[in-house]
Amino acid sequence: NAGVIQTPRHKVTGKGQEATLWCEPISGHSAVFWYRQTIVQGLEFLTYFRNQAPIDDSGMPKERFSAQMPNQSHSTLKIQSTQPQDSAVYLCASSLRQNTLYFGAGTRLSVL
Amino acid sequence: GEQVEQLPSILRVQEGSSASINCSYEDSASNYFPWYKQEPGENPKLIIDIRSNMERKQIQELIVLLDKKAKRFSLHITDTQPGDSAMYFCAASDRNNAGAKLTFGGGTRLTVRP
């Protein structure tokens, strides 16, 4: 079991460019979560899917952030027109039961 | 939505002593309270959790206490070791099955001095 796989590990974009982050959950896990981690804000919930259906996106900045889960083996988080304040580590996690989240290694996004 | 406050944000203790981290939550419907440990450069990993039908749980040197009336829960690490140095996050959730989101506290950076 390779755990939750996130790619790329690091991404550098220029201000105004688009960034797409990928997540492959643990096989068989029914829920996929996206969190953003910064020193100032800590671990912020963004959105989650259960059985591929979007359940709660209350943490997503509405205008530029979007997330998809086209199949059970991967999810994407897309940020359009990236801004310096989007710089963070974006963590994907999956869970099977009882709320235990298994986090991936994260994607460190740097917006210059 | 749920809000979780975690204190202290920084904690330094001497090896062999105890370390305590406290969290409070707002939503009385929350019924699941996990603790995650994040070592430098690593992802957060679950170390212990407690559900609302319990007041105390212990796994080796880790003790979690839950006071539902006060909406507070805490992590106590007894006999701390340098390997316990890490970021610790508490969290709360209002569902007891797969797929309920966790709301995390702001984190505590624990340093155990040899």
Side-chain angles (χ1 to χ4, degrees):
Chain A
N1 188 339
V4 175
I5 299 173
Q6 288 190 249
T7 55
R9 290 295 309 276
H10 303 275
K11 185 167 183 67
V12 180
T13 65
K15 182 179 175 181
Q17 291 184 329
E18 181 179 288
T20 300
L21 314 180
W22 295 73
C23 172
E24 180 180 331
I26 294 172
S27 177
H29 280 196
S30 56
V32 172
F33 301 78
W34 285 95
Y35 284 83
R36 176 167 64 181
Q37 185 172 23
T38 61
I39 292 175
V40 173
Q41 298 294 334
L43 278 163
E44 291 179 277
F45 168 79
L46 294 176
T47 186
Y48 88 95
F49 299 83
R50 186 189 306 150
N51 297 322
Q52 297 175 237
I55 301 298
D56 183 342
D57 67 354
S58 59
M60 294 275 273
K62 292 291 185 263
E63 288 128 4
R64 299 182 293 106
F65 284 59
S66 62
Q68 312 261 340
M69 190 161 186
N71 56 59
Q72 63 185 9
S73 65
H74 89 272
S75 174
T76 58
L77 178 68
K78 183 180 292 186
I79 308 171
Q80 295 177 311
S81 185
T82 53
Q83 303 297 311
Q85 61 265 30
D86 299 331
S87 297
V89 176
Y90 289 82
L91 289 165
C92 176
S94 67
S95 74
L96 175 61
R97 64 173 65 90
Q98 296 184 348
N99 303 87
T100 301
L101 298 188
Y102 295 86
F103 284 91
T107 294
R108 181 176 296 278
L109 175 67
S110 299
V111 182
L112 304 179
Chain B
E2 176 66 286
Q3 303 272 346
V4 177
E5 183 176 7
Q6 181 173 347
L7 292 172
S9 56
I10 297 174
L11 180 59
R12 299 187 181 95
V13 300
Q14 201 69 35
E15 180 178 358
S17 65
S18 296
S20 296
I21 304 171
N22 300 293
C23 291
S24 61
Y25 61 99
E26 293 187 357
D27 189 348
S28 56
S30 289
N31 58 12
Y32 173 69
F33 308 93
W35 289 85
Y36 283 76
K37 176 182 180 182
Q38 185 176 29
E39 302 193 60
E42 300 289 323
N43 50 358
K45 294 181 175 63
L46 177 72
I47 55 172
I48 191 169
D49 57 15
I50 190 167
R51 301 184 187 281
S52 58
N53 60 350
M54 302 174 69
E55 295 179 349
R56 184 182 190 278
K57 183 175 180 179
Q58 181 167 2
I59 298 177
Q60 297 180 331
E61 78 280 7
L62 304 176
I63 300 171
V64 289
L65 303 175
L66 173 62
D67 182 340
K68 286 179 291 184
K69 281 188 179 178
K71 296 183 193 172
R72 292 180 183 171
F73 57 113
S74 56
L75 172 68
H76 306 272
I77 306 173
T78 61
D79 189 24
T80 53
Q81 301 297 312
D84 294 324
S85 296
M87 282 290 291
Y88 290 80
F89 293 93
C90 63
S93 170
D94 67 353
R95 294 280 298 277
N96 195 16
N97 54 39
K101 74 181 187 188
L102 294 178
T103 301
F104 286 90
T108 297
R109 182 174 298 281
L110 172 65
T111 302
V112 180
R113 298 188 298 263

